[in-house]
Amino acid sequence: KFEIGSAFDSGMALAYLALSFGGKMPFKIIHSNPTNLVFPLLLLGLLAVGCGSGSSGGGTAAAQSVTTGSGGTTSSAPASMSVGDISIPDFSGSSATISFSGVPSGSTYELLIQSQATDTSSRTYVLGDLNLVEKSLGVSNALSDEVLSDGSATVQAKLDGLMRNEENLLADFAVEGAAKSVSKSAGVSVSKASGDPPPPSVALSVNDTDTFRVLSSLSDVTQYTEVTATVKCVNDTVAIYVDAEIDSTNPADFTQANANTLCASFKTSLTTVTGVFGGFADINSDGVAVALITPAVNRLGASNGGIVTGFYYAGDSFTRSSSIPASNYREIVYLVSPDSAGVYGSKISNSFAMSNFLPAVFPHEMQHLISYYQHVTARGGAAEEYWLNESISHFVEDLVGYGRENYSRYDLFLASPQSYSLVSTASTGLAQRGAGYLFIRYLYEQSGNSATFLNNLVNTTRVGTANVVAAYPSPPSDFNEFGEFLKRWSVALAYTNRSLTSSAKFQYNARTINSSTNNYEGVCMICTASDGRGTILSGPSFGTYSASNYSLRGTATRFLRLSSSPSSVTITPASGSSPAAVILRTQ
């Protein structure tokens, strides 16, 4: 089965295929417009030539022989491409040269160059003739990674980095025996001391009161503040505790009606999340996951110059001890409080907290909790890597219908995609999280078995890129490696919402409205986001091609437009960069 994109451009290929089979055609021709097959079929009896090929490596770049139908064919060279097709250069040698000989007059092209090295190192790619090595352009710096002018992203990223690091350290503690000690970020040692006994198992009721310890430092998990909170709502899945300080300072910031609304929302979200990823241990046998809404979270951000919207702390999976003094020994996540007057930190209106922050942060943090349980507690493995753990959690916000904040995150990424590594060994800022969300969302849509893909990501001991590849269900032969995921994903970033291709492989599905939350689910590249922030998306930022040196981070992509077609483009990557490139035809 061969699917033919452009009839005229594919006639030569059909002739070659027929001749290769001794003049017979043991294959079926599929075309979106059968009348356009007349010319190539005539050519079958007249021509005996090959289709736009050349030598690999330093010669003319060849492409993978993969077809996807009209407006989405992988072609062998730019001259054989139709609008919406792609061409994939061959880097089997030290460089790849893409010949633009014979391209149609008026055609336009875009070039995506990519480093598939799974680190954050910055490497040089030389574009143009090989004698231009000495010419260099300045390297663009990464953006500040902040959506809000108060630096909130930096603070949240720092806290999340601490939390993910603790998950890794406590994973060792959990599975390596009583004699094992683990060096903590605060410089203390963890040992399997019994500590305070866990609280007795009780069924929670509205108006029950309890005291909690909430982390008060972005760098030291032994520092905490104590708060008193009351159960405002409880069902068979979730209990919401509200800090007494909210009621005493400004009760209008968070009302009983708000608690009831969130209680129902959290139950629905958690049911969805556990249905996809699996459950958790219920270590204190209270039957619920706890959401604690407290100004202590606001102050944690404000004391460091920003906003923290919430967190999950793996120390709560262990009994309280001198080494884990902030443990509350239960399944619990900590959420920011609305603060209309800015008493606890940055002003956060009730309406924005209820529309953007609270309904999204709860399932986001519960994914971290479930991921830790499934990877570490249930299977004795390592905690998930930073970048993938956050990517999945941001996707979960969308999955449950509260993905409004994702638009502003990936808008930051799209403004300078070459500046951000998708895969990171450290805590990730908002732009990287936006990229991670887009990546997981794309694979989710492409998988054809989305529930299996998501479940595989969490119910495993695998982590990082190996986890992503193994989790993808029944991959085709041309889409079964992490580098292939990266490459085709970058094409989807470039082609989505531009009406250039009809191929589902090369673009995101159209976003839809969640009937329960009335929020959009899914991705748009060029649109008004309708996210409550006024975000307007215009797709990935393209530079203009010139024969120059370009710097590129590992697992990052640089998007370039060719203002006029050169005779050829040679791409010479630095050693260790695992290079990839894609040519797109846009006119």
Side-chain angles (χ1 to χ4, degrees), residues 558-575:
R558 186 176 287 273
F559 294 73
L560 296 169
R561 286 198 171 99
L562 282 66
S563 56
S564 60
S565 298
S567 59
S568 65
V569 173
T570 297
I571 307 172
T572 306
S575 175

Side-chain angles (χ1 to χ4, degrees), residues 25-40:
M25 290 174 50
F27 49 81
K28 181 179 180 180
I29 301 170
I30 298 175
H31 196 280
S32 58
N33 186 353
T35 62
N36 287 341
L37 287 173
V38 175
F39 181 73

Side-chain angles (χ1 to χ4, degrees), residues 12 16 35 98 167 266 272 317 325 356 380 447 456 502 553:
M12 303 280 275
Y16 178 79
T35 62
I98 306 155
E167 289 172 13
F266 290 177
T272 298
S317 296
N356 282 47
S447 68
N456 289 348
S502 59
R553 300 172 186 271

Side-chain angles (χ1 to χ4, degrees), residues 509-553:
N509 297 339
R511 61 179 184 164
T512 58
I513 291 287
N514 182 298
S515 59
S516 298
T517 67
N518 205 33
N519 293 322
Y520 278 109
E521 288 183 30
V523 167
C524 61
M525 286 287 119
I526 303 172
C527 67
T528 298
S530 302
D531 61 347
R533 288 187 177 274
T535 302
I536 298 175
L537 294 152
S538 55
S541 176
F542 279 81
T544 300
Y545 164 80
S546 62
S548 305
N549 290 5
Y550 291 93
S551 181
L552 198 58
R553 300 172 186 271

Side-chain angles (χ1 to χ4, degrees), residues 341-358:
V343 176
Y344 321 124
S346 297
K347 291 183 179 180
I348 303 172
S349 69
N350 174 277
S351 61
F352 195 81
M354 292 294 293
S355 65
N356 282 47
F357 282 166
L358 294 173

Side-chain angles (χ1 to χ4, degrees), residues 104-260:
S105 176
S107 58
T108 59
Y109 299 88
E110 293 170 351
L111 169 64
L112 315 184
I113 56 173
Q114 190 173 76
S115 170
Q116 296 186 349
T118 53
D119 58 31
T120 57
S121 297
S122 183
R123 297 178 176 88
T124 300
Y125 282 58
V126 181
L127 271 64
D129 296 331
L130 295 181
N131 62 0
L132 293 175
V133 175
E134 74 281 357
K135 183 176 181 181
S136 180
L137 294 182
V139 179
S140 63
N141 293 323
L143 300 179
S144 63
D145 242 12
E146 296 173 359
V147 169
L148 303 176
S149 60
D150 59 15
S152 60
T154 301
V155 174
Q156 182 74 58
K158 187 174 181 180
L159 175 64
D160 288 340
L162 176 65
M163 295 299 95
R164 303 295 80 80
N165 188 52
E166 287 301 303
E167 289 172 13
N168 283 306
L169 295 173
L170 290 170
D172 290 341
F173 175 42
V175 302
E176 292 190 17
K180 177 68 178 177
S181 292
V182 182
S183 176
K184 298 293 289 298
S185 58
V188 299
S189 177
V190 175
S191 59
K192 286 210 167 184
S194 60
D196 295 340
S201 172
V202 293
L204 297 177
S205 301
V206 173
N207 295 325
D208 284 351
T209 299
D210 206 343
T211 300
F212 297 88
R213 295 181 177 183
V214 184
L215 297 177
S216 59
S217 169
L218 299 185
S219 59
D220 185 348
V221 293
T222 67
Q223 295 185 29
Y224 60 87
T225 184
E226 286 196 343
V227 305
T228 299
T230 301
V231 176
K232 294 290 185 178
C233 182
V234 62
N235 52 46
D236 60 353
T237 305
V238 176
I240 296 179
Y241 278 86
V242 176
D243 194 323
E245 185 178 6
I246 298 173
D247 284 336
S248 62
T249 302
N250 189 355
D253 275 342
F254 191 79
T255 66
Q256 183 62 52
N258 294 150
N260 294 341

Side-chain angles (χ1 to χ4, degrees), residues 32-57:
S32 58
N33 186 353
T35 62
N36 287 341
L37 287 173
V38 175
F39 181 73
L41 289 172
L42 288 173
L43 284 176
L44 288 172
L46 300 173
L47 299 178
V49 294
C51 176
S53 62
S55 61
S56 63

Side-chain angles (χ1 to χ4, degrees), residues 390-433:
E390 293 297 345
S391 298
I392 298 170
S393 274
H394 285 294
F395 171 78
V396 163
E397 298 176 25
D398 197 14
L399 181 69
V400 301
Y402 289 102
R404 288 162 64 98
E405 289 291 276
N406 283 326
Y407 295 105
S408 59
R409 294 174 187 127
Y410 73 73
D411 187 40
L412 281 173
F413 161 68
L414 294 174
S416 186
Q418 71 278 1
S419 299
Y420 301 104
S421 298
L422 171 69
V423 176
S424 176
T425 57
S427 60
T428 55
L430 286 188
Q432 284 176 293
R433 293 161 183 248

